[in-house]
Amino acid sequence: MDLRVEQLTAGYDGRTVVDAVDLVVESGQVVAVVGPNGCGKSTLLRTMARLHTPRAGRVLAGGADIASLGRREMAHRVALLPQSPQAPEAVTVAGLVRYGRHPHQGLFRQWSREDERAVERALDATGTTALAERRLDELSGGQRQRCWLAMALAQETPLLLLDEPTSALDIGHAVEVLELVRSIAASGRTIVMVLHDLAGAARYADTVVALLDGRVVASGPPRTTIGTDLVRELYGIETEILFASSDGAPVVVPAGRAAPAV
């Protein structure tokens, strides 16, 4: 399912945070949204998930304006994994993943064998089957993040929105999560994720979208989009851009603060 954002504008308390953003994500693609703190990345994701009402513009999921969808239909199309998800105390991994099936429940539709199979598929896809009966609070950060992804997968939506899925993870666990994201996309799901890690965005995303002050200032394949000028504009630092010998992905090496503009 494709995702289209058209002239989306959103904000808080009279302040514009996302300003006339356009974005097209084709089915099965991974888009990484990058930019400095406070540039509007999370607000953009929350508005795309209909947790925040836009001032202007619209979001189309599979051609349907999400503003026109019922709650159940919306939950069948789009899943959001927020930046700091909260779980009930002492919940097991299996219990957490089952929460992903709530949009499929209803007055005349209770827990079924199909729900159980969806949970099993999500656990298997994220490599967390062996952790199913463990408590979430007993696990490492990387394990927990894979469990949260399993919950989002269990919802079985074609569109996944991930807000900083590698936040607070060491480099090993971050790579583990990003490789999982890539494998999820290979199964046909469409993913938009907010990342601070430019190297991760360059290697694992099909498209990088750079935000600054709520506006898109660059968008395209990582190899042609991430460069010294863009990094200077976003973060105010000078860099060297190297290219990985394995696949040509750009690697950003900081070289100090940029000189102030004269």
Side-chain angles (χ1 to χ4, degrees), residues 75-76 78-81 96-101 104 114-115 117-128 145-162 177 180-181 183-191:
H76 284 187
V78 182
L80 169 69
L81 183 59
L96 175 72
V97 178
R98 289 190 186 103
Y99 281 113
R101 298 301 297 171
H104 299 269
E114 176 53 34
D115 292 313
R117 283 194 290 265
V119 169
E120 291 169 359
R121 287 192 293 269
L123 290 168
D124 180 64
T126 55
T128 53
Q145 197 67 337
R146 283 192 287 124
C147 295
W148 283 110
L149 278 170
M151 185 194 73
L153 285 180
Q155 194 171 328
E156 293 194 322
T157 61
L159 298 172
L160 280 175
L161 308 177
L162 310 176
V177 167
L180 174 57
V181 167
S183 69
I184 293 168
S187 72
R189 298 190 183 189
T190 304
I191 298 174

Side-chain angles (χ1 to χ4, degrees), residues 8-224:
L8 195 68
T9 299
Y12 306 93
D13 301 324
R15 182 172 64 95
T16 297
V17 179
V18 173
D19 192 0
V21 167
D22 289 309
L23 178 65
V24 177
V25 188
E26 301 296 342
S27 296
Q29 297 291 292
V30 177
V31 168
V33 181
V34 303
N37 291 336
C39 72
K41 300 185 298 297
S42 293
T43 300
L44 174 62
L45 221 62
R46 288 177 59 82
T47 307
M48 289 161 58
R50 213 171 68 179
L51 296 181
H52 188 68
T53 303
R55 294 177 182 168
R58 61 179 186 165
V59 178
L60 304 174
D65 188 337
I66 65 169
S68 69
L69 299 177
R71 291 181 62 186
R72 182 176 295 275
E73 178 60 23
M74 179 65 182
H76 284 187
R77 291 187 182 225
V78 182
L80 169 69
L81 183 59
Q83 187 177 144
S84 301
Q86 299 295 318
E89 187 175 354
V91 70
T92 65
V93 170
L96 175 72
V97 178
R98 289 190 186 103
Y99 281 113
R101 298 301 297 171
H102 281 192
H104 299 269
Q105 309 304 305
L107 183 61
F108 302 107
R109 168 69 162 78
Q110 300 303 311
W111 190 264
S112 68
R113 177 56 188 152
E114 176 53 34
D115 292 313
E116 200 60 45
R117 283 194 290 265
V119 169
E120 291 169 359
R121 287 192 293 269
L123 290 168
D124 180 64
T126 55
T128 53
T129 301
L131 304 174
E133 301 309 316
R134 297 271 303 277
R135 282 175 38 168
L136 189 69
D137 57 14
E138 296 175 342
L139 305 180
S140 70
Q143 289 173 321
R144 285 196 299 272
Q145 197 67 337
R146 283 192 287 124
C147 295
W148 283 110
L149 278 170
M151 185 194 73
L153 285 180
Q155 194 171 328
E156 293 194 322
T157 61
L159 298 172
L160 280 175
L161 308 177
L162 310 176
D163 195 354
E164 296 191 31
T166 60
S167 176
L169 297 182
D170 63 43
I171 188 170
H173 287 123
V175 167
E176 181 182 351
V177 167
L178 290 173
E179 288 184 346
L180 174 57
V181 167
R182 198 66 253 184
S183 69
I184 293 168
S187 72
R189 298 190 183 189
T190 304
I191 298 174
V192 179
M193 60 180 177
V194 167
L195 283 183
H196 278 297
D197 175 17
L198 288 179
R203 184 172 293 277
Y204 294 100
D206 299 295
T207 299
V208 169
V209 174
L211 282 188
L212 183 64
D213 297 328
R215 286 185 169 272
V216 174
V217 295
S219 178
R223 288 164 181 76
T224 57

